[in-house]
Amino acid sequence: MSQRYFEHPSLTAAYAKFRPEPPASLVSHILEYLHQGYDGPLEAAADVGCGSGQSTHVLAPHFNTVTGLDISPAQITEAVKLGKTSSVSFRVSGAESLPFPDNSLQLVMAGQACHWFDMPKFLKEVDRVLVPGGVVALYCYLLPRVVDPHLGERLSAMISEVYDDLLAGCWGEGLKDVNDCYRDPKFTIPYPDSSRDDSHSLMTELSVAELTLFMTTWSGFNTYRERNGEAAAQKLLDDFQKKVMTTLGVSTPPENTRLQLDTHFPLLMGRKPRI
């Protein structure tokens, strides 16, 4: 069963602002793979576990209709608020019962989401709704690394310290699945034509303040906040930001101190056999 970790309105706003879109190379690779085995018109796609719609909107130029689905009403409210095109719509729905007719979609995608799904039920639904030759694409993304020739390793270690040490015991089972890049057998797409692609990454720029706010979108951080209270959670963030700024040794405020970040996106794909 899909789980609800991203319900609070302030959290959904941060999620919408700071969670990364998939890199253009990843989207292009999915479309190339789809066209290799499907030569009909691209009528419809679904983005399952869409959150606030980062990966839903990138599909809009390529399909007549795109539907983003998420179990969280708060996330769907944020996604609708940020809507950009009339061909994209959003619905509250779990991943294990997709609201589409049989053989109706050319693509089902799930970005940084399927580690929350009941995978056997989800994959059964995917097979039902995909047209023959249609594609399922599953991707996740790893902890961002700071790109800096002198301080990159030290700053990246500070992010990892929060993620792995300070929030230890606050993560669900999905953390291991993401860290393993969906290599667990439960993520195996049961089609003869399937593939893994580990070549995609995204370079972004965030201020130190924005990087700190990005941490508030982590399910582990919100579990920590629920267990320890707002003051302890705020102290964790404040301590991280102060440590980063001290290491950088700059006079600019955190809001104006920029960092280059590199995020890796593992991708799994599979094609439903033609009848």
Side-chain angles (χ1 to χ4, degrees):
M1 178 180 176
S2 302
Q3 300 181 58
R4 298 176 179 174
Y5 284 95
F6 306 101
E7 288 282 4
H8 193 277
S10 64
L11 174 58
T12 56
Y15 191 98
K17 185 172 182 180
F18 299 117
R19 286 290 177 120
E21 291 186 357
S25 64
L26 182 145
V27 177
S28 294
H29 190 63
I30 292 172
L31 293 169
E32 289 170 6
Y33 182 72
L34 175 56
H35 284 299
Q36 287 170 8
Y38 181 82
D39 54 10
L42 300 186
E43 297 289 348
D47 179 22
V48 185
C50 66
S52 48
Q54 287 89 342
S55 59
T56 316
H57 291 292
V58 300
L59 298 176
H62 310 286
F63 295 85
N64 288 341
T65 62
V66 181
T67 306
L69 306 173
D70 201 280
I71 197 171
S72 164
Q75 290 284 4
I76 291 300
T77 296
E78 194 68 27
V80 170
K81 194 187 308 180
L82 299 172
K84 300 175 182 178
T85 62
S86 59
S87 63
V88 175
S89 62
F90 294 95
R91 297 178 63 174
V92 176
S93 174
E96 298 81 12
S97 181
L98 300 177
F100 305 106
D102 296 356
N103 304 311
S104 60
L105 303 180
Q106 284 73 44
L107 174 68
V108 175
M109 185 168 74
Q112 192 73 353
C114 66
H115 49 285
W116 302 119
F117 300 168
D118 181 322
M119 286 303 293
K121 291 182 179 179
F122 169 64
L123 290 171
K124 183 177 180 180
E125 277 291 270
V126 167
D127 187 65
R128 179 183 67 80
V129 301
L130 279 179
V131 299
V135 165
V136 55
L138 314 174
Y139 75 81
C140 61
Y141 50 84
L142 304 185
L143 201 62
R145 307 289 299 176
V146 178
V147 179
D148 182 282
H150 304 294
L151 296 174
E153 288 302 316
R154 288 176 61 189
L155 295 170
S156 296
M158 293 174 194
I159 301 173
S160 297
E161 179 186 22
V162 176
Y163 191 81
D164 294 324
D165 300 334
L166 300 183
L167 299 180
C170 295
W171 299 96
E173 295 180 1
L175 175 68
K176 182 179 183 299
D177 292 327
V178 173
N179 289 345
D180 288 345
C181 303
Y182 290 171
R183 288 189 172 87
D184 188 281
K186 66 186 174 186
F187 298 106
T188 300
I189 298 172
Y191 292 148
D193 185 351
S194 60
S195 67
R196 165 180 285 276
D197 181 5
D198 290 301
S199 66
H200 302 284
S201 62
L202 180 69
M203 291 291 295
T204 55
E205 183 178 282
L206 292 178
S207 71
V208 174
E210 288 171 333
L211 175 60
T212 306
L213 286 172
F214 168 64
M215 292 179 171
T216 69
T217 71
W218 296 348
S219 62
F221 174 81
N222 286 281
T223 300
Y224 180 92
R225 178 164 55 185
E226 291 169 4
R227 291 178 182 175
N228 299 283
E230 292 289 343
Q234 187 62 51
K235 184 177 185 304
L236 183 150
L237 298 174
D238 291 343
D239 288 349
F240 168 78
Q241 184 167 278
K242 182 178 179 180
K243 191 172 182 179
V244 170
M245 294 301 297
T246 299
T247 300
L248 289 169
V250 296
S251 59
T252 52
E255 293 79 10
N256 296 332
T257 305
R258 313 295 293 179
L259 296 174
Q260 295 288 329
L261 300 171
D262 183 24
T263 305
H264 179 56
F265 286 72
L267 170 66
L268 305 178
M269 293 188 296
R271 188 190 321 282
K272 181 176 176 177
R274 290 182 175 275
I275 298 173

